[in-house]
Amino acid sequence: MSQPEKKENPNKIRHLIGVMSGKGGVGKSTVTYLTALALKQKGYKVGILDADITGASIPRIMHLPKYEMKVCGDFICPVETEQGLKVMSISFLVDSEEQPVIWRGPLLSKAIQQFWGEVLWGELDYLVIDMPPGTSDVAITVMQYFPLHGFIFVTTPQDLVSVVVARSMQMAQRLKVPVLGLVENMSYFICPHCGQKTNFFGQDETEKLARQFGTELLVQIPTSVEFALLPSRGLDLEKVLVREVLESLAQGIGRKFTS
């Protein structure tokens, strides 16, 4: 009996990086989008794989409408946005964004593997993976199954968050996945009236975390209207603060792959 012909994978992805925290609510999806956009603005071909199956938020953050997914031969076609980013998310495959995905670990892991191996990403310089919280099934699948070049870890300047992020960073180290750096979200607040900078939680926790794992702080993203309104109003690329954050992300990642 003849074996079915194995389909050739047409994808050529130079750098595969994940955005992870371990802690929910710290802004991983926002940082994923900002990272992809920062790299795209430097002229790279970039895609986003939304691996947060049960809490997908990339389409909402990017203001992507409901798409009817298409098939490209033996592969699923990703959504291509007006900004030139390729995106795949479970949100495109369910009836509405409020519909829950009630799956156990094995099904979640299988979906992630399909998003990687059965989506027609084509040629990309960077594919950025938006990871779910925690260190269980999906994180294990991505770290063991995907040819990762490293993780960016998202934290906030709180000791409770730093402890949880440290667990994820230790997981990456144990599974021999490089730590590319830290992004500190909700880092500080600048008063729109007087311009005074306020650190709500202090500034030591992320610096200690960076020293502990021998990595660098790539960028500090403040609590600001520009980023707080991203899911509802989008991102104003003319704002100085937005441009500075994007430039810092692009430079920080660039150092990792050009040094």
Side-chain angles (χ1 to χ4, degrees):
M1 182 175 177
S2 62
Q3 295 292 324
E5 185 178 344
K6 186 177 180 180
K7 57 188 178 185
E8 182 181 352
N9 192 330
N11 295 329
K12 302 279 189 296
I13 299 171
R14 292 179 58 206
H15 301 113
L16 183 63
I17 59 179
V19 177
M20 189 176 183
S21 175
K23 185 70 173 172
V26 298
K28 291 184 303 299
S29 297
T30 296
V31 172
T32 297
Y33 171 52
L34 293 176
T35 299
L37 184 58
L39 293 167
K40 180 62 181 177
Q41 289 191 329
K42 293 297 181 182
Y44 295 112
K45 298 176 182 178
V46 186
I48 298 176
L49 191 162
D50 189 353
D52 193 353
I53 301 294
T54 59
S57 54
I58 284 292
R60 168 59 72 93
I61 286 174
M62 297 180 66
H63 296 260
L64 301 178
K66 173 66 178 175
Y67 284 89
E68 181 178 346
M69 300 306 297
K70 298 178 181 178
V71 175
C72 304
D74 294 325
F75 295 86
I76 302 170
C77 301
V79 169
E80 294 197 41
T81 73
E82 293 180 358
Q83 293 174 318
L85 299 170
K86 294 184 177 181
V87 182
M88 186 64 204
S89 172
I90 195 69
S91 292
F92 302 139
L93 302 174
V94 295
D95 293 333
S96 71
E97 64 178 0
E98 292 87 6
Q99 180 178 331
V101 178
I102 309 172
W103 292 350
R104 294 187 184 275
L107 277 178
L108 296 174
S109 296
K110 180 63 176 176
I112 298 304
Q113 292 180 41
Q114 290 178 315
F115 282 3
W116 165 249
E118 298 183 22
V119 171
L120 188 63
W121 295 107
E123 291 191 16
L124 293 177
D125 296 302
Y126 291 92
L127 180 60
V128 186
I129 307 173
D130 184 28
M131 296 289 290
T135 56
S136 57
D137 296 276
V138 171
I140 295 169
T141 296
V142 171
M143 290 191 188
Q144 292 185 333
Y145 184 82
F146 290 23
L148 288 161
H149 292 87
F151 272 108
I152 296 169
F153 286 89
V154 183
T155 187
T156 63
Q158 300 162 271
D159 55 356
L160 176 60
V161 174
S162 295
V163 168
V164 179
V165 175
R167 295 174 193 157
S168 295
M169 297 176 77
Q170 285 195 36
M171 178 186 185
Q173 286 188 336
R174 291 185 182 185
L175 294 178
K176 303 188 185 310
V177 180
V179 175
L180 300 177
L182 284 159
V183 171
E184 186 180 74
N185 197 22
M186 309 177 210
S187 181
Y188 55 87
F189 172 75
I190 298 178
C191 177
H193 304 293
C194 68
Q196 181 176 347
K197 180 177 178 180
T198 302
N199 299 315
F200 291 114
F201 308 107
Q203 288 300 114
D204 295 334
E205 293 303 322
T206 303
E207 293 174 0
K208 288 192 292 187
L209 199 60
R211 290 194 298 269
Q212 178 183 347
F213 287 91
T215 190
E216 67 173 307
L217 176 58
L218 299 174
V219 66
Q220 293 175 306
I221 302 176
T223 301
S224 67
V225 173
E226 289 88 343
F227 297 108
L229 295 179
L230 174 57
S232 59
R233 297 186 186 177
L235 198 63
D236 186 351
L237 298 178
E238 298 301 317
K239 295 289 186 179
V240 173
L241 178 59
V242 173
R243 295 202 304 268
E244 289 176 347
V245 167
L246 293 176
E247 183 64 25
S248 294
L249 279 169
Q251 288 185 3
I253 296 168
R255 287 194 297 270
K256 302 300 177 181
F257 297 110
T258 58
S259 58

